């Protein structure tokens, strides 16, 4: 009887350790994909490039879709694009190259709290920085529209993560 109780206690203790253990591991689902032009790229399924590829591959009648970023795309000190986002937009350029009928409207939102002197110059500059990456990928400029937008409100980390909106259009 004593042995049975001890063995049950050890099982309970082991399962408690497993259930209370915390993990800092983030699982990112990456997928190597073949584009229609034969190029291979690695996409993160839940990121802008993965969602764009999925939409352009979709054969339903939807002709446009809006995607919103989920991570900050720009460095905090200036309007330069972060290295992670630079790679993401280079992937988007590769995807657009493989789908020559696709078009893209880039909107970069900035938030200003009660500042009547602020204008869209900074957000336009950020939008054109993204457009420049796509142009460097060999995309014609008439396929990309880049605009900045100034919205009222307090700029927070959550809003900065969602500052880039992409309107993807296909024929």
């Amino acid at each position: 009887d004593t042995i049975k109780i001890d063995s049950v206690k050890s099982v309970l203790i082991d399962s408690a350790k497993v259930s209370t253990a915390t993990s800092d591991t983030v699982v990112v689902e990456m997928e190597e994909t073949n584009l229609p032009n034969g190029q291979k790229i690695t996409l993160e399924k839940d990121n802008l490039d993965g969602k764009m590829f999925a939409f352009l591959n979709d054969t339903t009648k939807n002709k446009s879709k809006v995607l919103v970023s989920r991570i900050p795309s720009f460095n905090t000190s200036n309007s330069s694009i972060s290295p992670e986002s630079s790679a993401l937009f280079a992937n988007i350029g590769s995807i657009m190259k493989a789908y020559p009928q696709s078009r893209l409207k880039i909107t970069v939102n900035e938030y200003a709290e009660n500042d009547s002197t602020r204008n869209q110059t900074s957000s336009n500059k950020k939008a054109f920085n993204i457009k420049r990456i796509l142009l460097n990928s060999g995309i014609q400029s008439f396929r990309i529209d880049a605009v900045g937008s100034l919205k009222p409100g307090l700029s927070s980390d959550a809003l900065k993560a969602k500052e880039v909106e992409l309107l993807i259009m296909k024929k």
Side-chain angles (χ1 to χ4, degrees):
D1 289 341
T2 313
I3 296 173
K4 290 180 184 176
I5 292 173
D6 290 340
S7 63
V8 171
K9 283 182 181 177
S10 68
V11 169
L12 290 175
I13 291 169
D14 289 342
S15 64
K17 286 180 185 175
V18 172
S19 65
T20 59
T22 58
S23 174
D24 292 338
T25 305
V26 176
V27 177
V28 176
E29 196 171 339
M30 303 291 280
E31 183 177 288
E32 189 171 86
T33 307
N34 289 323
L35 298 175
N37 62 359
Q39 183 180 3
K40 285 186 180 184
I41 61 172
T42 303
L43 302 174
E44 185 179 330
K45 281 180 98 172
D46 291 332
N47 222 343
L48 286 176
D49 51 357
K51 289 179 181 179
M52 180 177 182
F53 177 72
F55 173 71
L56 291 174
N57 262 345
D58 188 10
T59 57
T60 60
K61 294 185 180 189
N62 294 335
K63 297 295 181 192
S64 66
K65 183 174 186 170
V66 175
L67 299 176
V68 180
S69 63
R70 58 180 182 83
I71 58 168
S73 299
F74 300 94
N75 296 322
T76 55
S77 60
N78 54 25
S79 60
S80 65
I81 298 176
S82 68
E84 182 180 312
S85 292
S86 182
L88 176 117
F89 292 119
N91 276 349
I92 288 174
S94 297
I95 293 168
M96 286 188 71
K97 197 170 190 176
Y99 292 90
Q101 300 299 318
S102 64
R103 305 283 186 267
L104 186 63
K105 179 180 180 185
I106 304 162
T107 305
V108 176
N109 298 309
E110 280 193 337
Y111 300 87
E113 183 182 15
N114 300 328
D115 186 359
S116 61
T117 61
R118 190 137 180 217
N119 59 26
Q120 296 175 328
T121 304
S122 176
S123 58
N124 278 332
K125 185 177 180 180
K126 289 178 178 181
F128 282 107
N129 284 342
I130 295 172
K131 184 175 181 175
R132 188 176 306 116
I133 291 173
L134 298 174
L135 292 174
N136 289 340
S137 297
I139 308 302
Q140 301 91 340
S141 65
F142 67 85
R143 293 177 56 198
I144 307 164
D145 187 19
V147 295
S149 174
L150 189 61
K151 296 188 176 189
L154 182 61
S155 182
S156 66
D157 289 339
L159 290 175
K160 285 180 183 178
K162 298 177 181 179
E163 67 186 337
V164 177
E165 294 179 12
L166 302 178
L167 172 63
I168 306 159
M169 298 161 274
K170 65 180 179 180
K171 285 189 176 185

